[in-house]
Amino acid sequence: MTKRWGITLPVAGLSIADQKELVASLPDLGYTDVWSAEADETDAFTPLALASAWAPRLRLGTAIVPVFTRGPATLAMSAATLAAAAPGRFALGVGTSSDVIVEHWNDIPFEEPYKRVRDTVRFLRAALRGERVDETYETFAVRGFTARLVPEEPPPVLIAALRPGMLRLAGREGDGAIVNWLSARDVRTIAPYVRERDPAKEIVARIFVMPGADPETARALGRRMITAYLNVPVYRAFHEWLGRDDVLGPMWRAWGEGDRRAALRAVPDEVVDELVIHGPAEHCRERIGEYVDNGVTTPVIHLVGDPQDPVRAVRDLAPDG
């Protein structure tokens, strides 16, 4: 498989309108992929649609589109449109998202997330082949839908996964898994579940990076990120499964008691350093390479901290430096 090196769009620190020149330069810098996200900033598809025109050599991926916040047919149409616009260059990543995004922000019940992902992937497989779907799944029903736009090459469908059940689903019914908030060492734990049946299954990892940041600044921001994310139930359960009960237990207890300052103080430096890469660009590239060495197929850099010079940061983190 071709060595891959990706970055998250939109790039932190630049407005979407100002990213054209940078995105167009990515292939010449050695980047192969751009992956989007969908939480509280941009939607997943628009930045990729722009990138498909700005840099026709890049692979485009969603990491991820929540399966709850779009109807099945709408999701299929969005995916088919981008796959048709960028033939052979689009990968659709779907996942549960979180109860915060689904329930608190979108007022949609976060019920049976594993089954909802499974059912959505099964529907998408049929819909993106142009088949007529008239099916009652366990978590939704589709009555007589046939996509009128069918890409010549259906896009691969990857599944955002954290623990064994979803990791196995990603390997069994998806084309691979999308992971985040894990260390390079943790990849050795999750990869065997994805590749139980097929060692060629792709693993995409979003990796949080702060190039050039001094340790004090990076750890202060990293602690805020960790307390914000790893107290979300799905991520807490993930890190409990990974074995971080002892090191993160004090943070979880303080957070549960409503003491946010104590929770921040309770996050150890070594946990921040494992989960958020920081320091000189060369060191950051080496750390990203550890993820690949441990089984990640596609590392996707996610710049955090609003770098003062995002263009330089992207260039400094390019695979060949």
Side-chain angles (χ1 to χ4, degrees):
M1 184 175 291
T2 303
K3 181 179 179 180
R4 312 210 69 86
W5 198 265
I7 194 159
T8 300
L9 290 185
V11 173
L14 285 177
S15 71
I16 294 175
D18 291 334
Q19 303 207 8
K20 179 178 180 179
E21 184 176 344
L22 177 59
V23 172
S25 74
L26 291 176
D28 291 333
L29 293 172
Y31 289 92
T32 60
D33 287 59
V34 288
W35 290 73
S36 63
E38 187 168 295
D40 58 357
E41 191 176 358
T42 64
D43 73 284
F45 291 101
T46 304
L48 299 183
L50 293 169
S52 72
W54 293 342
R57 288 183 284 162
L58 290 172
R59 186 170 72 146
L60 319 165
T62 59
I64 49 99
V65 181
V67 297
F68 286 98
T69 53
R70 280 182 179 80
T74 301
L75 176 55
M77 288 186 289
S78 296
T81 303
L82 194 47
R89 295 192 295 118
F90 172 59
L92 175 64
V94 298
T96 64
S97 188
S98 69
D99 57 335
V100 172
I101 292 173
V102 175
E103 289 189 333
H104 298 183
W105 298 354
N106 287 285
D107 197 26
I108 298 169
F110 190 70
E111 297 173 350
E112 299 190 291
Y114 173 89
K115 291 181 179 179
R116 179 74 180 215
V117 170
R118 180 203 61 198
D119 293 347
T120 301
V121 170
R122 291 175 179 177
F123 163 76
L124 288 168
R125 293 291 199 198
L128 292 171
R129 290 193 298 263
E131 298 175 9
R132 184 178 190 274
V133 181
D134 196 335
E135 186 78 35
T136 299
Y137 301 92
E138 285 194 56
T139 56
F140 60 84
V142 176
R143 293 285 176 254
F145 173 74
T146 304
R148 296 183 62 185
L149 175 60
V150 179
E152 291 184 9
E153 183 179 341
V157 179
L158 293 93
I159 296 174
L162 297 175
R163 289 180 289 161
M166 201 72 84
L167 291 164
R168 287 192 173 105
L169 180 68
R172 186 177 66 250
E173 299 201 27
D175 293 292
I178 299 170
V179 295
N180 72 344
W181 278 113
L182 79 172
S183 70
R185 176 172 50 88
D186 295 330
V187 176
R188 297 178 183 175
T189 300
I190 64 99
Y193 293 95
V194 180
R195 294 173 174 149
E196 273 183 347
R197 300 185 180 197
D198 184 352
K201 291 289 183 175
E202 183 170 13
I203 297 177
V204 177
R206 173 166 279 120
I207 303 167
F208 301 104
V209 187
M210 284 187 272
D214 65 86
E216 183 177 355
T217 300
R219 288 168 180 161
L221 177 56
R223 284 188 176 88
R224 292 198 294 274
M225 293 171 61
I226 286 169
T227 54
Y229 276 90
L230 302 195
N231 280 289
V232 174
V234 292
Y235 285 109
R236 174 172 177 169
F238 178 44
H239 282 270
E240 288 173 337
W241 175 66
L242 288 172
R244 290 198 172 90
D245 307 62
D246 290 342
V247 292
L248 289 178
M251 182 270 287
W252 285 325
R253 285 192 292 274
W255 187 272
E257 293 166 359
D259 192 338
R260 302 298 190 255
R261 291 183 179 180
L264 283 168
R265 292 194 300 269
V267 180
D269 286 349
E270 58 267 26
V271 173
V272 180
D273 295 347
E274 275 196 317
L275 300 179
V276 182
I277 295 175
H278 55 88
E282 182 178 358
H283 169 74
C284 293
R285 290 196 304 272
E286 291 174 357
R287 290 284 313 280
I288 295 165
E290 292 174 9
Y291 284 80
V292 177
D293 293 342
N294 289 341
V296 165
T297 315
T298 306
V300 179
I301 296 163
H302 185 82
L303 289 176
V304 295
D306 288 330
Q308 291 184 344
D309 189 344
V311 173
R312 179 178 176 181
V314 171
R315 289 174 176 167
D316 287 347
L317 292 172
D320 299 325

